[in-house]
Amino acid sequence: MQRLPAFLKEHCTDADVARIIEGLMVACKDISYRLHLGALSGVMGSAEQENVQGECQKKLDVISNDLIKECLAAMPEVLGLASEEEPDPVACNAEGQYLVLFDPLDGSSNIDVNVTVGTIFSILKAAPGASGATAATYLQAGSEQVAAGYVLYGPSTTLMFSTGNGVHSFTLDPRIGEFLLLNDKVEIPETTSEFAINMSNQRFWLPQMQAYVADLLKGEEGPLGKRYNMRWIASMVAEIHRILTRGGIFMYPYDNRDPSKPGKLRLMYEGNPMSMLVEQAGGKASTGFDDITAIQPEAIHQRVSCIMGSAAEVSTVVGYHRD
Ligand code: P6P
């Protein structure tokens, strides 16, 4: 089974991007090791502080963020970074041409109950002369991403990424510390009967989303004509990994609990990278009204309504929003 460095050398035309992905994996292998020690690592529980999102940080949120920052700051290819756990962008190396945006540990509310979490990353190219410390440098549409991926810390540690020529999956062999190629062309089935959404928010959704979910719950007798199954892990990386592996639709749609937030998930380092992966694997990613990767960002931590997965099912949901 091909090792990640050899695969990148063969398939990633941009050597700088290849080096950034390889460098990121050094931090992710360290995160994987600490997570798989669980409570023995002594880093479970709350960090007793909040991040810029107003969310209570776990100790491993802070540790993971620091590990990734340290890795990226040491790479001459990296001009700057933006993180869910950082209020502002962080300049790295003036000679760098790339920007790395990441959620160091997505789903971290699951850590203390031993449920799968993951690191999500997005890579953009900086405009010539841009500053890594300025938010405007990062505010590019998802269609501009040169690479995107995640590392899933589950029963096994899996890397899924794309540099624009399909989606590739790897599994970490902890005996040798290498990511080994599993599938060089990951594809999402066109149709599905499996949906993922947090049903407790049903009364806060737009009427269009309420109508779609009501119809899919009618099963074979309803207008969608089939029985659906439901999953909700409360860890986007785990949901998207399942969908990339066997199909499905993931939805964290707009809800009116806080009108200032058009969704819970963050566009730049959750919505965009996951949308690139889903689209590269033959799926679709929409807000219900627009393609996620077409959105022109206005702020690094802005939120977005996410509906993504099997193309035919996402098109059905978009149809409910447009009719
Ligand atoms: P809820 C994790 O906190 C996250 O950002 C995503 O990974 C996940 O899909 C979602 O929030 C879960 O949200 O409201 O169901 O806890």
Side-chain angles (χ1 to χ4, degrees):
M1 297 166 92
Q2 194 172 31
R3 296 181 181 200
L4 177 62
F7 181 88
L8 284 168
K9 188 174 174 59
E10 195 176 305
H11 293 269
C12 184
T13 52
D14 188 321
D16 284 356
V17 171
R19 274 192 293 275
I20 292 171
I21 292 173
E22 274 194 73
L24 260 175
M25 290 310 107
V26 173
C28 292
K29 285 186 273 194
D30 193 336
I31 294 167
S32 174
Y33 173 76
R34 294 165 191 258
L35 276 167
H36 286 112
L37 280 175
L40 304 178
S41 63
V43 290
M44 292 288 111
S46 169
E48 306 301 331
Q49 61 191 41
E50 282 192 351
N51 63 13
V52 65
Q53 328 282 343
E55 295 166 342
C56 182
Q57 288 180 309
K58 299 290 187 183
K59 287 176 188 166
L60 270 173
D61 279 322
V62 178
I63 292 167
S64 303
N65 188 56
D66 290 345
L67 287 169
I68 295 173
K69 278 172 63 183
E70 184 185 346
C71 251
L72 294 175
M75 287 188 230
E77 298 82 1
V78 178
L79 176 67
L81 62 87
S83 165
E84 178 182 81
E85 306 301 338
E86 296 289 332
D88 303 305
V90 177
C92 295
N93 301 294
E95 72 276 20
Q97 295 181 30
Y98 293 92
L99 308 164
V100 183
L101 302 90
F102 58 94
D103 179 355
L105 213 53
D106 178 66
S108 54
S109 60
N110 288 314
I111 292 174
D112 294 345
V113 293
N114 200 22
V115 171
T116 295
V117 293
T119 296
I120 307 172
F121 62 90
S122 169
I123 303 177
L124 293 166
K125 185 144 192 184
S131 162
T134 309
T137 302
Y138 298 75
L139 300 182
Q140 302 176 36
S143 54
E144 296 300 312
Q145 293 174 103
V146 296
Y150 60 75
V151 177
L152 181 75
Y153 309 108
S156 66
T157 294
T158 303
L159 164 65
M160 191 78 80
F161 77 89
S162 174
T163 56
N165 299 301
V167 177
H168 326 294
S169 68
F170 295 75
T171 290
L172 176 65
D173 182 338
R175 296 165 300 183
I176 58 172
E178 285 279 6
F179 282 94
L180 304 181
L181 179 66
L182 272 182
N183 182 354
D184 67 350
K185 189 171 173 49
V186 174
E187 291 178 309
I188 299 182
E190 168 82 10
T191 61
T192 187
S193 302
E194 195 162 63
F195 72 99
I197 196 166
N198 182 336
M199 286 297 290
S200 70
N201 299 325
Q202 190 273 350
R203 63 189 180 283
F204 304 120
W205 298 335
L206 291 175
Q208 297 93 322
M209 182 53 75
Q210 289 172 335
Y212 164 68
V213 173
D215 281 349
L216 71 77
L217 291 176
K218 289 172 187 164
E220 305 90 325
E221 310 307 318
L224 299 177
K226 56 184 172 180
R227 174 173 301 187
Y228 287 79
N229 190 21
M230 189 187 122
R231 287 285 182 273
W232 191 249
I233 306 172
S235 176
M236 185 186 196
V237 184
E239 316 274 9
I240 299 301
H241 188 72
R242 182 188 60 249
I243 289 167
L244 284 165
T245 305
R246 71 184 192 210
I249 184 167
F250 169 82
M251 297 171 278
Y252 212 112
Y254 169 85
D255 67 55
N256 59 22
R257 283 177 289 177
D258 180 346
S260 69
K261 294 174 183 168
K264 174 175 184 184
L265 303 177
R266 273 64 53 151
L267 173 64
M268 297 303 292
Y269 40 80
E270 292 171 334
N272 275 341
M274 291 311 204
S275 297
M276 178 174 181
L277 290 174
V278 164
E279 290 176 344
Q280 282 286 320
K284 287 185 184 294
S286 173
T287 63
F289 300 99
D290 305 298
D291 289 352
I292 290 173
T293 53
I295 296 171
Q296 177 51 48
E298 295 170 3
I300 281 186
H301 298 298
Q302 79 180 62
R303 296 166 188 262
V304 66
S305 165
C306 288
I307 299 161
M308 55 177 77
S310 294
E313 201 65 30
V314 172
S315 297
T316 297
V317 181
V318 170
Y320 275 76
H321 283 72
R322 287 182 177 160
D323 289 349

